[in-house]
Amino acid sequence: MDEIVKPNLSNFIKSLRDFGYNFSIALADIIDNSIAADSKKISIETNMNPEISLSILDDGFGMTELELIEAMRLGSKDPEEEREKKDLGRFGLGLKTASFSQCKSLTVITKKENKMSFKKWDLDLIEKENEWLLITPNLNEFKHISLLEKLSAQKSGTLVIWEKIDSIQKENYYEELNLLREHLALVFHRFLDGSIRGRKILLDLNNNLIKGFNPFNESNTATQTLPEQLIKFENKTVKITPYILPHHNKLSNEEYNKYATNDGYTKSQGFYLYRSGRLLIHGTWWGLNKISDAHRLIRIRVDISNDQDEIWNIDVKKSIASPNMFIKGELKKILNSILNRGKNVYTRRPKVLEDKTIIPFWEVSHSTDSIKFLINQHHPILVHIKKEMSDQEISFFSTYLKGIEAYIPISAIEAYAITDPQKIKQKELIEETEKKELLDALLNLNLTKEQIDELLKTEIFKGMKER
């Protein structure tokens, strides 16, 4: 005899809340729904007194009561169902799972055709009654929420309210808001800056407008945008647009730090996957390349449509994705030329040691199994100093110079060159007045015209003229 066995709702709810969302990813999932509803303006307001709560209002097309009830249902959409091109959802779970991951009380108030509808899930009540009881709340409960008044004045729209938020603590409240602002600025930057025609949105957090953050720094003329390439698979198209960001010497400190992001350039290299214009994941090579400092300036935009989820193995949170083997193979073919160009931009600066127009302080010695940085023993200043020394002084001095060569703090230099290249200010160690005093002293040594010309070719006096 067949029997109906209902799940233990208490245990099921705990599993439902453990999808792996963080605060920022969960909010982005809610905003996906607003964008799919053709919203032009989305507002987020938070409150931490007496308890942390949050509300999100959009001006989209809203829902009728029947549509709202269906939207509140778990698994309200078939993931295999064909979507409209602008639909950023997939499983019909985002509103609920994203919300439940952060709070125990989810209320949705929506307006369509001048009629307000409102429903509420309270996980504590569901657990207590052991039933999926969808509440029709009294709107007076939400009079303290300023966005409700704004919704009442709109022709249409939807207001999502999170209460009983237990995913963040009050002491982390402001840090979470800063992370949220940065996350939304990146994930939705193409909607915020209007680069997707007809789909520009305004997004504000606590009445502060969020500006889009384009991780490819396309506005800088030093950024290289390589030709777009296409991958075709099962009548679907994947667009690949590689970017090579500018060398740090072409950026101000502020611009350099901005595009480093909190993760830094090295961790931000790789593919950036966009689904219908919305960034899903970034800073990954999908195992096709190793993270390398030489490739730290390479960022590759990958654009897919919203009917490719199965090909890319996109998860419920839309924060994990990986292409199938065919796509990986095609991406690997594209990578080689991109990696070489990006490496050239990053590594071009050391060539200054091979500049034949100046006499450098340092030389590079190459062999089949080693590279060594050596003090230039033929530098005219060093040659002159040795002339004034005794044989014993030259021996001591030469040993000292060898010590400098042998113990260059290469590891420290590498570390700072990667993390804070703009802060390295070695040339500031010698001031212009010191250079002039040294040059005057050398010119008073009755040097020949050839010796003077050679002296002026050294790095320290480059750009200075004989006086």
Side-chain angles (χ1 to χ4, degrees), residues 393-408:
E393 287 173 334
I394 290 174
S395 177
F396 288 157
F397 187 55
S398 296
T399 302
Y400 177 75
L401 294 181
K402 285 182 179 179
I404 292 175
E405 292 174 336
Y407 298 104
I408 298 173

Side-chain angles (χ1 to χ4, degrees), residues 3 174 218 252 288:
E3 295 183 14
Y174 292 107
E218 293 182 73
S252 65
L288 300 175

Side-chain angles (χ1 to χ4, degrees), residues 205-219:
L205 172 60
N206 292 330
N207 294 314
N208 293 311
L209 200 65
I210 295 177
K211 295 182 179 179
F213 172 69
N214 183 329
F216 309 111
N217 197 3
E218 293 182 73
S219 61

Side-chain angles (χ1 to χ4, degrees), residues 179-229:
L179 292 174
L180 173 63
R181 176 177 292 277
E182 292 173 359
H183 183 74
L184 298 182
L186 174 61
V187 167
F188 297 107
H189 75 88
R190 294 168 78 180
F191 297 91
L192 294 169
D193 62 25
S195 59
I196 301 179
R197 184 178 297 177
R199 302 192 67 188
K200 180 177 174 61
I201 64 170
L202 294 175
L203 175 63
D204 64 79
L205 172 60
N206 292 330
N207 294 314
N208 293 311
L209 200 65
I210 295 177
K211 295 182 179 179
F213 172 69
N214 183 329
F216 309 111
N217 197 3
E218 293 182 73
S219 61
N220 191 308
T221 56
T223 297
Q224 297 182 38
T225 305
L226 306 188
E228 180 184 276
Q229 301 188 54

Side-chain angles (χ1 to χ4, degrees), residues 312-328:
W312 289 83
N313 302 298
I314 295 171
D315 72 333
V316 175
K317 305 188 304 295
K318 290 167 285 188
S319 62
I320 297 176
S322 180
N324 66 19
M325 292 307 295
F326 175 81
I327 302 292
K328 275 191 173 183

Side-chain angles (χ1 to χ4, degrees), residues 431-440 452 455-467:
E431 297 180 358
E432 289 299 315
T433 54
E434 292 178 288
K435 292 182 184 180
K436 291 176 181 177
E437 289 173 0
L438 178 58
L439 180 60
D440 288 341
I452 292 173
L455 193 63
L456 292 174
K457 286 176 65 179
T458 62
E459 287 174 307
I460 194 170
F461 299 130
K462 186 178 181 181
M464 297 179 69
K465 296 181 180 179
E466 180 185 350
R467 308 194 319 180

Side-chain angles (χ1 to χ4, degrees), residues 27-45 54-61 88 147 150 154 157-160 184 188 191-192 199-210:
L27 256 295
D29 219 336
I30 303 301
I31 292 171
D32 285 342
N33 294 330
S34 295
I35 293 175
D38 207 23
S39 302
K40 304 301 179 188
K41 188 175 190 307
I42 304 167
S43 296
I44 304 169
E45 286 192 1
L54 177 143
S55 50
I56 312 115
L57 172 67
D58 67 46
D59 61 354
F61 47 62
L88 301 182
L147 291 180
K150 292 183 179 180
Q154 294 177 184
T158 297
L159 174 63
V160 175
L184 298 182
F188 297 107
F191 297 91
L192 294 169
R199 302 192 67 188
K200 180 177 174 61
I201 64 170
L202 294 175
L203 175 63
D204 64 79
L205 172 60
N206 292 330
N207 294 314
N208 293 311
L209 200 65
I210 295 177

